[in-house]
């Protein structure tokens, strides 16, 4: 006898979610290390905090970080380091971490 109200098969939504999770690079692990640290142009880590060197994808996120971690220092947008302007990309043909898509399908 089966359990109460338990579907016997996987739904299309569940299967699509599993496929998406398996084939999309979320930028984690070793594949996303350069992306998270901002060592490579084209990743998510575009802005760097001048005080603690933490990276963020946009200025608004950097402002939120600054207000939370450095409340005594006033936020100055011009002092935030743009990593995309300072680091030159290694290769444009190389797949970048965090970009949707995968080879295994």
């Amino acid at each position: 006898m089966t359990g109460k109200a338990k579907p016997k098969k996987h739904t299309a939504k569940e299967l699509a979610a599993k496929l998406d999770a398996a084939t999309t690079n979320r930028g984690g692990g070793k594949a996303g290390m350069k992306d998270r640290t901002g060592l490579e142009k084209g990743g998510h880590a575009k802005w760097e905090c001048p005080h603690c060197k933490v990276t963020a994808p946009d200025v608004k996120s950097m402002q939120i970080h600054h207000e939370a971690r450095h409340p005594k220092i006033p936020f100055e947008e011009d002092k935030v380091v743009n990593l995309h302007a300072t680091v030159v990309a290694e290769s444009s043909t190389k797949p970048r971490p965090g970009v949707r898509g995968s080879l295994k399908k």
Side-chain angles (χ1 to χ4, degrees):
M1 183 174 196
T2 61
K4 294 181 181 178
K6 289 185 179 177
K8 294 180 181 179
K9 298 186 179 184
H10 296 288
T11 63
K13 181 179 178 182
E14 183 183 358
L15 292 174
K18 284 184 178 182
L19 177 69
D20 182 52
T23 59
T24 302
N25 187 348
R26 304 284 183 207
K30 288 183 180 180
M33 181 58 74
K34 289 183 181 179
D35 185 40
R36 289 191 308 273
T37 56
L39 297 175
E40 193 174 274
K41 186 176 179 181
H44 292 145
K46 182 173 181 179
W47 303 98
E48 183 180 63
C49 179
H51 307 292
C52 61
K53 305 300 182 197
V54 168
T55 56
D58 56 8
V59 178
K60 184 67 179 173
S61 297
M62 183 53 65
Q63 184 177 4
I64 293 168
H65 157 79
H66 191 83
E67 290 171 358
R69 300 292 179 212
H70 316 290
K72 295 181 180 179
I73 305 169
F75 179 71
E76 297 176 28
E77 190 174 325
D78 57 334
K79 288 190 177 181
V80 178
V81 180
N82 183 352
L83 294 174
H84 286 202
T86 59
V87 179
V88 178
E90 292 176 13
S91 161
S92 61
T93 59
K94 183 178 170 186
R96 297 176 181 158
V99 176
R100 186 170 179 85
S102 173
L103 297 176
K104 64 176 208 184
K105 286 191 179 175

